[in-house]
Amino acid sequence: MTHPTPSAASSAAALSATSSRRARLKNATRDIHERLDKRIMDFQPFADRERYTAFLQTQYALHRDVQALFVDPALNALLPQLAERSRLALIEQDLHDLGAAPPSDQPAPSFTFAAQHHVPTALGWLYTVEGSNIGAAFLLKAAGRLGLDGRLGARHLAPHADGRAAHWRDFIAQLDDVQLSPEEESHVDAGARAAFAAALTHVERHCKASRQAGR
Ligand code: HEM
């Protein structure tokens, strides 16, 4: 990670002591996370509202990929109140705040509604998408420089009412309670990496387009 805040770093340390699955996932995705952070920050998404809107489009695409998982009944049974964690509607509101709409020409989402999802793979994707909120403290601060906050344009980056770290800790505790075989664990890792890869693809798609449009 590139810019951990002191409080984020200490919450991370506390968590890694309590969850070996999460520590393994963090390790398994370290390289691709660093690549994604760098790719996003190289784009300078907080340079102006136009660039931030392009960043929002990437967030929209990633969260749309997994919306079918957030509302899946079987996954909600394993991870109680999972559906309430979805941030897709907040991203839609953020786009609306900025006078933008979700991209019209999108590929099909990675997961479709009413399908039966492979649980270990789904857990990996959810780790990545849910974990992105723990790093969002830094992004929220940067969005503040554009006059945006948890009530305008950066709603999806705001902490949960329970507190950012506590909300993440609860998710990790739920994730840890799921019993998996060693083979299934490897599918969780692959799912987490696939989610990062999807995020990178979305950044390439939306952030490059904005660059070409005169930057
Ligand atoms: C779609 C984009 C992103 C995704 C999917 C993502 C995903 C994640 C995940 C899964 C974690 C939790 C890792 C763990 O502790 O187990 C995390 C943490 C973190 N992310 Fe990201 N991230 C994204 C973008 C960014 C960007 C652009 C930055 C800043 C340059 C960033 C900064 C951080 C930081 C500082 C943490 C650590 C917080 C802590 O350990 O307490 N992330 N992110």
Side-chain angles (χ1 to χ4, degrees):
M1 291 311 330
T2 44
H3 303 282
T5 60
S7 62
S10 56
S11 65
L15 280 166
S16 59
T18 58
S19 169
S20 62
R21 182 175 287 155
R22 179 263 182 159
R24 193 198 68 225
L25 281 165
K26 185 169 182 172
N27 219 25
T29 57
R30 191 178 305 278
D31 286 3
I32 193 163
H33 192 174
E34 279 177 12
R35 259 202 292 149
L36 177 63
D37 287 358
K38 186 171 182 325
R39 178 62 182 80
I40 291 175
M41 298 323 283
D42 282 355
F43 177 68
Q44 301 184 343
F46 303 103
D48 56 39
R49 286 189 177 202
E50 192 186 334
R51 283 185 187 220
Y52 177 71
T53 302
F55 168 70
L56 272 182
Q57 302 284 19
T58 72
Q59 294 285 73
Y60 179 86
L62 180 64
H63 287 253
R64 175 176 165 271
D65 271 338
V66 288
Q67 184 60 12
L69 302 183
F70 275 102
V71 300
D72 181 90
L75 290 168
N76 274 267
L78 278 179
L79 309 171
Q81 276 97 48
L82 176 66
E84 291 171 23
R85 290 181 175 271
S86 167
R87 286 182 283 146
L88 185 64
L90 293 174
I91 299 169
E92 280 172 334
Q93 286 181 53
D94 287 339
L95 282 166
H96 185 260
D97 289 344
L98 287 150
S104 51
D105 57 336
Q106 296 182 81
S110 299
F111 296 93
T112 48
F113 294 96
Q116 261 210 329
H117 303 295
H118 183 249
V119 169
T121 304
L123 294 177
W125 275 78
L126 288 167
Y127 159 82
T128 297
V129 172
E130 199 52 27
S132 68
N133 192 237
I134 193 78
F138 161 73
L139 303 180
L140 180 66
K141 203 168 160 203
R145 293 198 291 271
L146 296 173
L148 306 174
D149 59 25
R151 289 169 313 243
L152 182 84
R155 300 165 199 262
H156 82 286
L157 298 174
H160 189 267
D162 295 346
R164 202 183 291 278
H167 196 56
W168 171 235
R169 205 159 39 233
D170 289 349
F171 175 78
I172 291 302
Q174 291 179 346
L175 193 64
D176 275 345
D177 279 348
V178 182
Q179 300 299 311
L180 298 170
S181 69
E183 197 198 329
E184 288 172 328
E185 295 283 5
S186 70
H187 286 291
V188 182
D189 291 5
R193 279 194 298 265
F196 273 106
L200 261 173
T201 303
H202 297 316
V203 171
E204 290 304 331
R205 184 180 172 88
H206 295 289
C207 295
K208 198 191 280 172
S210 173
R211 264 186 190 157
Q212 282 167 347
R215 279 151 202 283

